[in-house]
Amino acid sequence: MLTFFTDTDTDFGPREVEKYGCKLISMPYSYDGKTIFPYVDFKEFDSHEFYDMLRSGVLPTTSAIGEQDYINYFEPEFAAGNDILYAHFSREMTVTFDVMDKALAKLREKYPERKFYEVDAKGITTMAYIVVRAIAELYKAGKTGEEIVEWSKTEVDHYAMYFFADDLKFFRRSGRVGGLAATMGGLIGLRPIITMSKQGRMESIGTEKGRTKAMERLLKYVDEMGDDVKNHLIVIGHTDAPELAQQFAEMMKAKYGADLNIETVVVNPTAGSHCGPNGMGVCFHSKDRFSK
């Protein structure tokens, strides 16, 4: 039997767990001396409350989970005779997967007959969501671990994401966006436009003045890079900005048709700690994965 894992940094939550029969690894964030594990310490993510907390000036931090945590997640499956498929957010963005590798090395010694299949979505939040959702559909259809890994070798790089942030201070503090310094300039109202590179890193590729211009630029990327947009899922992600997400969805439908397949997700709190509130992005099936 194959057990499917993903993590909360892919924007998967209880709804997806129930729909696809997967298991969820909780990636924590901390503030005011408290460490919070999504869907362990709470059952439902109150996104408005969380992002209002960020608006009030709270700046959460994030951290890797420990080696024993990974063992606690994976060993029961190996002990039960199950293999594991883990589709996760980008290795390039964290040291947590180095910790996971150490845990797996110990587990492989103890359970040498068991298999561990890994797929790196090369993205986080909405970017990871659209990839992991596609994998979840393959898993639900009965595809093997080998088949899913083979699919990922070409398909992961055929998803692209572009988004804009509303407040530079969150990304500035996290240091996780390449090229951001060149876009700052100290100008009020600038929205940095960010993408996920082929390596799975966030890269700043410019700025726009105001949200409307930023959304127009995102739509331009979909138009230029989209691969058969009408017949693939579009995912719009936001950090407590439902009005922006709705406005962008309407822009997409005006261009491609009212029957466009669009899903909207709220960015998880761990990733949201780096993005900040009032941001929005779009992820789609693309001709290629680019950073420019």
Side-chain angles (χ1 to χ4, degrees), residues 229-275:
V229 173
K230 286 281 290 183
N231 292 309
H232 286 94
L233 175 67
I234 303 289
V235 179
I236 298 172
H238 66 90
T239 54
D240 195 36
E243 297 86 359
L244 289 180
Q246 180 61 33
Q247 184 180 347
F248 189 76
E250 290 170 359
M251 292 167 65
M252 290 284 295
K253 289 179 179 180
K255 187 171 186 64
Y256 293 104
D259 60 342
L260 193 63
N261 185 13
I262 296 177
E263 185 173 345
T264 300
V265 299
V266 180
V267 172
N268 69 81
T270 310
S273 297
H274 297 284
C275 301

Side-chain angles (χ1 to χ4, degrees), residues 121-122 127 130-131 151 154-162 195-198 218 220-235 252 256 282-292:
K122 296 185 182 180
M127 175 75 237
I130 199 170
V131 172
W151 173 92
T154 55
E155 282 301 304
V156 167
D157 284 337
H158 281 285
Y159 289 94
M161 180 179 181
Y162 295 90
T195 189
M196 298 298 311
S197 72
K198 287 187 177 182
L218 265 52
K220 179 174 178 284
Y221 284 127
V222 176
D223 194 42
E224 291 177 350
M225 294 301 305
D227 175 30
D228 194 12
V229 173
K230 286 281 290 183
N231 292 309
H232 286 94
L233 175 67
I234 303 289
V235 179
M252 290 284 295
Y256 293 104
V282 61
C283 193
F284 54 95
H285 198 266
S286 62
K287 298 168 187 173
D288 195 6
R289 170 84 72 95
F290 317 39
S291 60
K292 299 290 184 184

Side-chain angles (χ1 to χ4, degrees), residues 156-175:
V156 167
D157 284 337
H158 281 285
Y159 289 94
M161 180 179 181
Y162 295 90
F163 65 102
F164 65 86
D166 197 63
D167 191 332
L168 293 172
K169 71 182 178 185
F170 295 94
F171 283 127
R172 183 188 297 122
R173 180 180 56 86
S174 74

Side-chain angles (χ1 to χ4, degrees), residues 32-44:
D32 293 342
K34 299 178 292 186
T35 298
I36 310 296
F37 286 83
Y39 306 115
V40 175
D41 294 323
F42 57 77
K43 291 183 179 180
E44 293 185 13

Side-chain angles (χ1 to χ4, degrees), residues 26-75:
S26 184
M27 295 295 174
Y29 60 96
S30 303
Y31 67 94
D32 293 342
K34 299 178 292 186
T35 298
I36 310 296
F37 286 83
Y39 306 115
V40 175
D41 294 323
F42 57 77
K43 291 183 179 180
E44 293 185 13
F45 174 37
D46 188 333
S47 58
H48 183 64
E49 180 182 59
F50 174 78
Y51 286 109
D52 260 359
M53 180 180 72
L54 270 57
R55 291 182 183 104
S56 75
V58 175
L59 295 175
T61 59
T62 60
S63 58
I65 64 174
E67 187 176 316
Q68 188 59 47
D69 293 313
Y70 282 109
I71 290 173
N72 293 343
Y73 279 116
F74 295 149
E75 185 165 22

Side-chain angles (χ1 to χ4, degrees), residues 2 38 42 55 60 93 96 101 106 123 132 142-143 185 193 211 214 223 251 256 268 279:
L2 182 66
F42 57 77
R55 291 182 183 104
M93 299 185 68
T96 197
D101 291 343
K106 291 181 179 179
V132 175
K143 298 297 183 181
I193 307 298
R211 294 171 181 171
D223 194 42
M251 292 167 65
Y256 293 104
N268 69 81

